[in-house]
Amino acid sequence: MTCRAGFVYSEDFRTYRFRDDHPFNQLRVTLAYELLQSIGAITEKELISPRMATEEELLLVHEKPYVEAIKKASSGKLSEEEGFEFGVGTEDTPMFEGMHEASSLLVGGTLSAVDAVMQDKVDHALNLGGGLHHGFQRKASGFCIYNDGAVAIQYIREHYQAKVLYIDTDAHHGDGVQWAFYDDPNVCTLSVHETGRYLFPGTGNVNERGIKEGYGYSFNIPVDAFTEDESFMHVYETAFREVIEYFKPDVIVTQNGADAHVLDPLTHLCCTSQLYEFIPQIAHKLAHEYCGGKWIALGGGGYDIWRVVPRAWAQIWNVMAHNEPAEGPLPKEWLAKWQQEAPVQLPSSWHDASGLYKEIPRKLEITEKNEKVLEKAMQFIQLKHNLPK
């Protein structure tokens, strides 16, 4: 299978930067891009230049007073008190100069990916600068100002009248996207994430299923802390297959946070590079089975920007454009360049070495617990299939 794929990229993605010591660092996008360049996996003709989202496009999801507040913050004119009302100026989401423009570029990058796929210029498109799934209609949250995924989905609905399946495998619940379409039967959301019992944003329970006409189109699978590859992969693939068969979308949008990895400093899961080779392979396969290949993939969380995110995100592209993840040693050229800047020892291989973490004593209990959560989450589909026609 040879697929046409587009990679959205600009050095300007790195202007989305709260402060030097903030965990959200878009240098990880550059690291992934240069890793792909180093192995000859990406060509100039596959690159898509992002555009700036217009205010009208931002207003597809966000409220005007919020956009106006971000514009004021962008030029240093929003007071701390005003900022608090809109979720900016906080420890998680500080104000910074040019934040409106930087955020609009990330949204525009995702819209560029959408148009490339929906206008049949490519089969798949990847915007690693996007995936800011915590942004709300009138409030920033969890490092996210404008919610590019939600804007893109509403843009697809209005411009292409397509049914959208949104799959989120970030360790944090995809709350902003879920709530934006909680009453919409033409958008189905599936989030597989660490339970909110211990982790921000604290939502994403199994019983969050949608409201009104959207009831039955929101699915959540909160996995237990210390979940490992095998359980996460089983839950993800099973749920993805059941939900896509139930919903039958026209296009898939995936959010690919890389923070379920055991080395991530902000979460409590125990997954490895194996998970990040598996996730895009399932998305790729099901996009071709159900949507004629239409798949838009975004970045997201991921806070070990040196040892985890570049490999995890590069593998999305390797699957999109070359049908399989890369294997073997990482390129010496890339390692030599970035080891000088990295505060940790960079991995030498695409695959994590064995013995990355100590054995989890509760593995069986955690696996069984996740299986029960999966069954409960999928109950609605099974009940609906068994209803008399």
Side-chain angles (χ1 to χ4, degrees):
M1 187 195 310
T2 303
C3 301
R4 300 165 302 152
F7 189 101
V8 181
Y9 183 72
S10 169
E11 287 287 331
D12 291 338
F13 283 165
R14 287 162 65 180
T15 61
Y16 190 93
R17 187 80 174 111
F18 295 107
R19 58 176 189 266
D20 288 345
D21 64 344
H22 195 283
F24 191 100
N25 188 346
Q26 292 287 59
L27 175 60
R28 59 202 180 142
V29 181
T30 299
L31 290 165
Y33 171 63
E34 292 197 6
L35 178 55
L36 289 165
Q37 279 188 315
S38 294
I39 63 168
I42 192 164
T43 64
E44 285 290 325
K45 69 177 184 178
E46 291 171 315
L47 293 178
I48 298 172
S49 294
R51 62 176 178 80
M52 198 78 74
T54 65
E55 184 171 327
E56 183 182 7
E57 288 164 345
L58 297 176
L59 295 175
L60 289 171
V61 166
H62 297 289
E63 294 182 8
K64 191 168 181 63
Y66 175 63
V67 175
E68 292 301 321
I70 298 302
K71 284 183 180 176
K72 284 178 70 177
S74 196
S75 55
K77 296 174 182 173
L78 192 73
S79 71
E80 191 175 320
E81 189 178 343
E82 287 175 303
F84 184 74
E85 179 188 346
F86 296 104
V88 292
T90 63
E91 185 69 19
D92 274 359
T93 315
M95 299 186 215
F96 64 93
E97 186 179 348
M99 63 193 295
H100 168 72
E101 292 77 15
S103 305
S104 297
L105 183 64
L106 299 185
V107 177
T110 298
L111 296 179
S112 299
V114 165
D115 282 333
V117 170
M118 300 307 292
Q119 293 172 15
D120 201 31
K121 295 173 183 174
V122 295
D123 301 306
H124 323 306
L126 176 60
N127 178 25
L128 294 175
L132 305 188
H133 61 169
H134 295 307
F136 292 104
Q137 289 174 309
R138 58 175 290 115
K139 195 167 188 178
S141 177
F143 314 159
C144 304
I145 298 167
Y146 297 140
N147 191 324
D148 63 290
V151 171
I153 291 168
Q154 188 59 32
Y155 181 87
I156 292 170
R157 291 291 309 131
E158 295 201 6
H159 288 265
Y160 300 103
Q161 295 77 49
K163 289 174 66 180
V164 184
L165 174 58
Y166 172 79
I167 306 287
D168 192 316
T169 49
D170 197 288
H172 302 85
H173 175 228
D175 55 346
V177 179
Q178 173 181 293
W179 302 129
F181 302 101
Y182 209 50
D183 60 355
D184 190 338
N186 294 299
V187 178
C188 184
T189 63
L190 167 62
S191 180
V192 183
H193 50 268
E194 181 184 333
T195 172
R197 204 179 320 129
Y198 316 108
L199 190 69
F200 174 90
T203 53
N205 298 316
V206 174
N207 59 3
E208 293 170 20
R209 298 188 182 278
I211 57 171
K212 301 177 182 175
E213 290 183 3
Y215 183 77
Y217 296 100
S218 175
F219 295 90
N220 286 286
I221 304 174
V223 298
D224 208 11
F226 308 108
T227 291
E228 297 173 78
D229 287 327
E230 297 90 337
S231 181
F232 198 114
M233 291 189 297
H234 169 70
V235 162
Y236 161 74
E237 180 177 11
T238 303
F240 199 156
R241 287 185 179 279
E242 291 199 24
V243 169
I244 199 169
E245 173 61 25
Y246 158 72
F247 184 62
K248 294 186 170 59
D250 300 309
V251 58
I252 297 169
V253 176
T254 63
Q255 196 272 17
N256 296 268
D259 47 3
H261 196 281
V262 67
L263 294 177
D264 194 275
L266 301 189
T267 65
H268 316 99
L269 300 174
C270 292
C271 298
T272 72
S273 58
Q274 184 182 1
L275 175 66
Y276 295 106
E277 294 158 12
F278 183 80
I279 282 174
Q281 290 185 85
I282 299 302
H284 187 226
K285 181 177 176 61
L286 294 181
H288 280 288
E289 285 183 19
Y290 287 87
C291 308
K294 288 184 171 59
W295 171 31
I296 297 128
L298 311 174
Y303 308 100
D304 190 320
I305 72 162
W306 300 102
R307 295 174 294 182
V308 175
V309 183
R311 291 180 300 153
W313 282 359
Q315 295 290 33
I316 304 169
W317 177 257
N318 287 327
V319 170
M320 269 191 174
H322 305 287
N323 303 315
E324 59 186 11
E327 295 184 337
L330 293 180
K332 290 178 182 177
E333 168 197 341
W334 185 85
L335 289 169
K337 176 179 178 178
W338 291 108
Q339 187 60 71
Q340 299 174 52
E341 296 192 32
V344 292
Q345 183 64 40
L346 296 176
S348 59
S349 170
W350 285 96
H351 300 311
D352 285 326
S354 59
L356 196 59
Y357 59 92
K358 292 179 181 176
E359 186 178 343
I360 305 299
R362 292 177 49 241
K363 179 172 184 172
L364 182 60
E365 178 190 337
I366 291 167
T367 301
E368 289 174 349
K369 195 170 181 180
N370 291 343
E371 187 66 30
K372 286 178 181 174
V373 170
L374 172 64
E375 288 173 9
K376 190 173 180 183
M378 296 298 103
Q379 251 174 9
F380 179 85
I381 293 176
Q382 289 148 12
L383 285 171
K384 194 153 184 178
H385 281 323
N386 290 332
L387 289 174
K389 303 288 187 211

